[in-house]
Amino acid sequence: MAAVSLSVSTVKPLGDRVFVKVSASEERTAGGILLPDNAQEKPQVGEITAVGPGKRNDDGTRQELEVNIGDKVLYSKYAGTDIKLGGEEYVLLSEKDILAVVS
């Protein structure tokens, strides 16, 4: 089996999927208590780095995605597939798992 080297520029989502760079998790609580790595919650906010061409409709046409590259989004807690590339964390998820665009 050949080794494949992945980078953000080589990942192209299919269908209605998006590739999201996960924001850093909070290391301290609101009260200032330092949290260890295993107690930190998975962040639910990230920036879109790549988008797919869109979902196919029944008539064969593509439905464009409502989000674009560079949008900051809030997504479902347990959605998508976690991917680590170059020491950074990403999530590959479907557009339906995106809850809101954060401005």
Side-chain angles (χ1 to χ4, degrees), residues 24-101:
S25 60
E26 294 293 325
E27 295 181 3
R28 294 185 182 266
T29 64
I33 298 171
L34 186 62
L35 295 171
D37 289 340
N38 59 356
Q40 294 175 7
E41 286 193 31
K42 178 182 167 188
Q44 293 175 262
V45 177
E47 182 178 343
I48 296 179
T49 57
V51 296
K55 183 179 177 182
R56 277 209 192 268
N57 294 328
D58 292 335
D59 62 358
T61 60
R62 293 248 184 219
Q63 179 179 345
E64 286 190 33
L65 300 178
E66 294 184 43
V67 293
N68 298 308
I69 295 174
D71 286 349
K72 288 203 180 279
V73 294
L74 175 68
Y75 55 89
S76 298
K77 188 167 196 142
Y78 300 105
T81 302
D82 297 331
I83 301 171
K84 200 169 214 174
L85 293 176
E88 305 224 2
E89 292 186 25
Y90 295 87
V91 177
L92 182 64
L93 45 90
S94 181
E95 185 185 31
K96 68 180 179 183
D97 294 326
I98 297 174
L99 304 173
V101 175

